[in-house]
Structures are given as structure tokens and as C-alpha cells.
Amino acid sequence: METLDKNLITAEKLQLAHNGVPVNQMPWDFSIPLGQLTAVVGLNGSGKTTLIQALLGEPVIHRGGVYLGELKTSSHRLDAREISKWISYVPQEHFYPGHLTVFSFLQIASTELSEVEAVLKKMGINELRDKNLNALSSGQRQRAFLARAILQKSRILVLDEPTNHLDPEGKNSFWKTLAQFRKDSNQDIVVSTHDLEYIKKYASYMLALGQGQVQFCGKQSDFFAQACAQKVFGLID
Amino acid sequence: MRSKHLYFFYTFVLVSIAISPFLGSVELSLSKIFDVSSPEHRIFFDLRIPRLLLCFAAGASLALLGAIYQMLFHNPLAEPYVLGVSTASTLGVFLFEHYLSQYLGTYFQGIAGLISAVLYSLLLITLSKKNLRNPERIILFGMGSNFFLSSVLFLLVSYFQSAIGSGSVRWLFGQVPWLDMQMALIIFGSSAVICTLLLLQSKKIDILSLGDGVAKSMGVDPQTSRRNILILSSFLLGMTSSAIGTVGFVGLVAPHAVRLWLKPNQTRPLFFYSLILGGAFLAFSDAISRSALPPVEFPVGVVTTFLGGPIFLYLLWKR
């Protein structure tokens, strides 16, 4: 069993760069504790996706580092196997082979039939199990991708703007499913999202990025209490 | 429903393979070929069967590579020649023919093609570590080098006027040579080995097809896995291109035909059926190319496109 730092994710003087272009001039320092559903918010371009890339060990770190527990993601010892124990990733842009049915798609992640059955029911997509991936609506497909990520049983579920292409009903259903899953499994979740109303309802922790800095990192309730949304988004709650 | 389609599929495949060696510029009958002293016997066993083995191996390889590339590059229009490996191989064979064959003989032509293919792939792999980290850029590089290498090839072909017939036809439409049984078995056997190795990678390819970030988070390093698959593919494609040149359509369309016809819901069956369909189809097209208007032998790529185009459109229309 690896000994974990008491924080899940820690950033230390982190400076990110995307394709050589620096994302933040001021270094970032923050830590996300264990046992949270953390919402990462910020305007487009604020570095949310690049931060997630850094968590995956991609070469986007210019200076400093980010740690999963005590493991530095930019260390040479970090290969895909290690990453997969830590992170289960659902990206913003999906590639998928259309010929797979939901069931055979999930079998890629787990060969245990009982697990696949269980997650199909938990995500409410059991009736869709024999449908092709390209015959699903985007909301249904999103839940299938979430199911696949859950089957990996990694430490952290990392979702990059999962409700981007969903209609209001899709958003609602997705967040409800995610929240229910967290209640049942107590898994650590990090979601980058713009869905403020759902963050208020379901997120316990928040990391807000804006103007090249960490604008807020702490309990979700404090974020809204301190009216930080205005600073980050230029919005009024 | 699916088993009915599978029945027709296997029937089509077996009939195509069985008929092919009987077709050609010389009519062969079942009785005559078993008469050991007759010329028909020699034609059948020393010429037609090796040719069948070669065509099946080539068609199967092209179809499997097409199916794999379509998944690796998230692109339904991807096909085996998209990375430029085949053009590099053909260029290698051409250069060998004109500069080295006087010293080494034509037997090593195939090796020249193979070496060119592998060298080119190594270049691709080295570049993919730095500038070509993602699949989209790899394809763009392949397209660019395809344009460049093919223009070099055409320049050389026009310079060496004498080869203008065979060189460019081989490259544009493919040309199946008459090989002896030993050579045909070598090619068939090597193709079978590499195709099997590729089929064993089905699960990795499934994971890679989900995107590099997801693959990494599922424990599969995208750069390493892609590199390994590219190495295997370049051997296979190098060997195939050296033998029969560039035959279009099979690699692109066989996987789609399988998807439309058999609707496999897993990847390994998709790969396997594509392989079989590609092999049977190329064998059959080659038979037609030799027997449609004897003694004219059409380049096999012309026949694959001519036969395959309408069939594919029909499949598309039925769905």
C-alpha cells in the first residue's frame, strides 16, 4: 500500500505551458484534500484542461510540479501504468469506435462481467447495453463514458467539462448520476465545469482559476459565501 | 440475424477462393488438373496456387491494416497507404531495380522494398517522439511525404523512360507477379505471423482508439504502443508493396464492408472478418483481372476498384 500525503493533489510553484505558450506567469500553489468532489472552475483559457494534462503526466509543466499524493507527475518513473492506478479520465473531446456496443465498450475497461452489469445499472444505461455507441444520444454516451471510467477503479475520477454538449435535462441527469455514484462509492472526483448551479448542489471543494492565478481553493460553500464568482467569472451570483 | 449474414459471408469467401485458381487466360477444368503429366496440372499447382496464396496474403494484410489504421487515427477514411510507407517501399524497389540489381540480381528486390519501408517507419517513429506526438499530425506528415516521395518516384520513372510502363502502373494500380511456390509460401507465412501478432493487439488498439489521454489513464502508453504497431505494420506493408505494388480500395473499404454487412460489435471480429474479406476479394479480383479479356491482364487495382465500388455503394444504400 502506498503511503499517501494527507492531500490528494498538491501543486507547488506550478507553471504550466501549452505548446510552448505559458499558461500562467504567477506560479500556482494549492492542495486538494482527500474525499472531495472538487469542481475546477475558470473561464476558457484559464488553464483547466492544461492542469488536467499535468495530472496525467503530460509534458505541460514549465516549472514546479504537481503531486498525486506524494508522487510527482513529472518524474521519470511515472509511466502509464502508474497513472492508471491514480487517474480515471473522461476527456472533453471523445474518440470512440462506433461499432462497439455499450456492453463491449465497457468490457474494454473490465473483463469482470459482474462489475460491468453493476455499473450499467448504476449509470442507468442497462437498457442501452446492446446499442452501438454511435446510436446513443450524447447524454447517454456521456454516461457510458463515465461508466467506463468508473470501471477502472482508480483513485481519482477526473472529468473535463463533461456536460459541455448536453442539454439542460442531460446536465441534470448527469450530475444526479455522478452525485449518487459518489455517495455510494466515496470516490475522489475532480470535475472541471461551468455548471455553477450544480456545483452549488453537489461539489464539496472548489479550485477557481482566473487571470493566470489561483483565485480560490477551498470549501465550495466558502466560494459562494465570499462572492468569488464575480472575480473569477465577472458574474453576479 | 447476424448468423445468416455470417453464413453468406463465409460462402462468398470460400467460393471466391475456390474459383480463383480456375480462372485465367487458360481455361482449366477440374479433371485435367489432377493429371500430373498435363500442362494444366503445372499451370494450376505451380502458377495459380502460389498466385492465390500471394493475393490472399496481400489482400488480407491490406484489409487488416486498413481496419487498424481507421481506429488508430480515429478516421474512417484512413487506409494502409496513408502514412507513406508504401510509397517509400516502392521508391526503394525502383531505386534497387535501376542501380543495384545489376550487382545483386532481382531476387533481393523484395528485401529492398522491405528495408525502405522499415527505414521510413523508423524515421516516422523518431519524429513521432518529438513533433508528431498525436495521430492527426502523423497522418498529415504521411500525406506530405506521400506527395513528396511519389513525385520523386515519378521523376525517376520519367527519367528512366524504359520503365515508364511497368514502374508507374505497379505503383498506381498494383501488379501481381508470378511467383514460385517457395516465395509465395514465405510471403504467406510471414504475413500470417505478423497479422496474428497484430490481431493479438486488438485490445490495445481498442484502448488507443479512445484517444491518447484516455489510453494513458487506462495504463497504455500511446507513443510506445503506436510505435510497436507501426513497426509490425511497416514490415507487413513493406512486404506487400514490394510484391504487388500499390493496390487501392481493399484497405479502405474491406473494414467498412464488414461493418455494414456483419455489424460486429467487438473489434477482434471486425479485424478478423476484414482480413478474410480482403484476402478473398483480392484473390478474386486478381482472377478476374486475368480472365475478363484474355490475354490482357488488367492491373489488379483497377479490378478491385471496378468491382468493389458498386458493391460498396450497394451495401451503403441497403442500410
Side-chain angles (χ1 to χ4, degrees):
Chain A
M1 246 335 247
E2 42 191 345
T3 48
L4 297 167
D5 198 35
K6 57 176 163 64
N7 285 317
L8 185 71
I9 297 172
T10 314
E12 208 173 67
K13 296 192 177 55
L14 183 66
Q15 275 182 282
L16 299 172
H18 187 62
N19 280 339
V21 178
V23 165
N24 56 319
Q25 300 292 0
M26 304 285 296
W28 290 348
D29 288 89
F30 62 82
S31 51
I32 294 174
L34 303 168
Q36 309 290 333
L37 192 160
T38 307
V40 179
V41 299
L43 295 173
N44 290 335
S46 54
K48 304 194 295 298
T49 300
T50 314
L51 177 61
I52 290 178
Q53 296 293 304
L55 293 178
L56 286 171
E58 290 293 296
V60 292
I61 298 180
H62 183 56
R63 280 207 193 99
V66 67
Y67 297 79
L68 301 167
E70 289 184 343
L71 190 62
K72 193 171 188 183
T73 63
S74 51
S75 86
H76 288 296
R77 282 177 294 110
L78 197 67
D79 63 356
R81 279 248 167 83
E82 280 296 311
I83 300 268
S84 69
K85 289 191 204 143
W86 272 98
I87 297 185
S88 210
Y89 173 52
V90 180
Q92 212 177 91
E93 299 281 298
H94 283 296
F95 294 115
Y96 58 91
H99 63 269
L100 295 178
T101 55
V102 174
F103 194 81
S104 46
F105 170 64
L106 293 179
Q107 280 187 304
I108 300 174
S110 166
T111 44
E112 282 289 318
L113 287 180
S114 55
E115 283 180 1
V116 177
E117 299 281 348
V119 82
L120 278 169
K121 293 201 184 79
K122 241 193 276 186
M123 294 290 114
I125 49 175
N126 202 21
E127 333 78 63
L128 304 172
R129 57 196 289 163
D130 291 321
K131 283 190 108 175
N132 279 33
L133 286 180
N134 48 22
L136 302 177
S137 72
S138 42
Q140 293 169 329
R141 210 168 18 241
Q142 206 66 342
R143 275 187 276 153
F145 291 131
L146 180 58
R148 188 231 91 225
I150 287 170
L151 277 173
Q152 247 179 275
K153 299 203 284 269
S154 309
R155 196 85 183 69
I156 318 172
L157 197 55
V158 175
L159 310 168
D160 193 351
E161 296 192 43
T163 57
N164 236 359
H165 305 294
L166 303 182
D167 62 18
E169 201 219 305
K171 280 199 223 269
N172 190 21
S173 138
F174 187 86
W175 275 105
K176 262 204 184 138
T177 311
L178 187 66
Q180 183 63 46
F181 168 71
R182 184 181 169 231
K183 228 204 277 176
D184 296 336
S185 68
N186 210 24
Q187 177 158 26
D188 291 283
I189 302 178
V190 173
V191 194
S192 86
T193 178
H194 296 302
D195 299 339
L196 292 180
E197 5 48 294
Y198 292 105
I199 295 175
K200 267 194 204 161
K201 253 175 138 170
Y202 299 120
S204 57
Y205 215 76
M206 271 182 84
L207 173 67
L209 306 171
Q211 284 121 32
Q213 294 181 37
V214 175
Q215 296 290 344
F216 178 88
C217 182
K219 293 214 191 96
Q220 173 258 96
S221 43
D222 291 340
F223 177 85
F224 290 103
Q226 294 165 25
C228 294
Q230 200 163 3
K231 232 198 294 178
V232 175
F233 293 108
L235 299 172
I236 302 166
D237 277 319
Chain B
M1 204 201 309
R2 216 190 109 208
S3 44
K4 179 179 82 171
H5 289 303
L6 209 51
Y7 173 79
F8 282 127
F9 176 77
Y10 278 120
T11 308
F12 170 79
V13 163
L14 288 170
V15 167
S16 311
I17 294 175
I19 282 189
S20 301
F22 288 95
L23 298 176
S25 52
V26 175
E27 283 285 317
L28 297 180
S29 64
L30 199 50
S31 52
K32 288 244 181 75
I33 59 173
F34 289 111
D35 178 3
V36 185
S37 56
S38 70
E40 281 85 353
H41 175 86
R42 283 210 54 209
I43 292 177
F44 190 83
F45 286 102
D46 295 343
L47 292 176
R48 299 265 177 94
I49 295 286
R51 188 153 173 141
L52 172 65
L53 287 174
L54 173 61
C55 288
F56 187 87
S61 305
L62 290 172
L64 178 62
L65 287 177
I68 290 177
Y69 283 8
Q70 281 165 10
M71 285 185 71
L72 276 191
F73 299 110
H74 321 126
N75 190 333
L77 294 181
E79 40 93 31
Y81 305 120
V82 84
L83 295 183
V85 173
S86 186
T87 317
S89 173
T90 309
L91 190 56
V93 170
F94 192 85
L95 288 173
F96 179 87
E97 252 179 45
H98 280 268
Y99 292 109
L100 294 176
S101 61
Q102 49 206 118
Y103 306 110
L104 296 173
T106 53
Y107 190 68
F108 291 101
Q109 212 177 56
I111 311 268
L114 199 55
I115 293 179
S116 314
V118 173
L119 283 177
Y120 177 81
S121 304
L122 289 177
L123 172 67
L124 203 60
I125 287 165
T126 316
L127 286 174
S128 74
K129 287 216 187 94
K130 298 175 201 155
N131 308 343
L132 304 178
R133 284 185 74 87
N134 62 41
E136 293 74 34
R137 295 186 72 150
I138 295 177
I139 283 201
L140 285 174
F141 177 81
M143 275 177 66
S145 50
N146 244 331
F147 282 128
F148 174 68
L149 290 175
S150 55
S151 65
V152 171
L153 186 61
F154 275 125
L155 270 171
L156 289 174
V157 165
S158 8
Y159 182 72
F160 293 100
Q161 288 266 325
S162 56
I164 220 172
S166 69
S168 46
V169 166
R170 256 185 67 103
W171 185 74
L172 286 172
F173 298 113
Q175 214 171 48
V176 182
W178 293 105
L179 294 179
D180 57 42
M181 187 57 123
Q182 187 190 40
M183 200 64 222
L185 282 173
I186 290 176
I187 293 180
F188 187 87
S190 328
S191 305
V193 168
I194 301 183
C195 284
T196 307
L197 291 173
L198 285 170
L199 280 173
L200 291 174
Q201 307 261 357
S202 299
K203 183 151 187 193
K204 264 216 179 111
I205 295 171
D206 267 330
I207 293 177
L208 285 173
S209 76
L210 300 177
D212 282 9
V214 175
K216 201 168 182 186
S217 83
M218 289 180 82
V220 173
D221 180 64
Q223 316 297 331
T224 315
S225 307
R226 248 201 305 273
R227 179 199 66 195
N228 295 341
I229 292 173
L230 279 181
I231 290 176
L232 284 175
S233 319
S234 69
F235 267 99
L236 194 56
L237 198 54
M239 189 166 52
T240 306
S241 309
S242 306
I244 68 171
T246 313
V247 178
F249 198 83
V250 183
L252 174 61
V253 169
H256 287 292
V258 168
R259 264 187 273 258
L260 288 171
W261 188 358
L262 299 176
K263 302 206 186 61
N265 57 22
Q266 285 181 312
T267 300
R268 191 166 287 157
L270 170 68
F271 286 170
F272 183 70
Y273 296 141
S274 301
L275 189 159
I276 303 247
L277 183 63
F281 182 62
L282 191 60
F284 186 66
S285 299
D286 172 69
I288 299 287
S289 76
R290 285 177 290 113
S291 58
L293 241 70
V296 176
E297 185 183 304
F298 293 103
V300 70
V302 170
V303 179
T304 53
T305 318
F306 189 78
L307 285 181
I311 295 177
F312 182 70
L313 289 172
Y314 167 72
L315 277 174
L316 210 50
W317 175 68
K318 258 194 82 184
R319 300 285 166 235

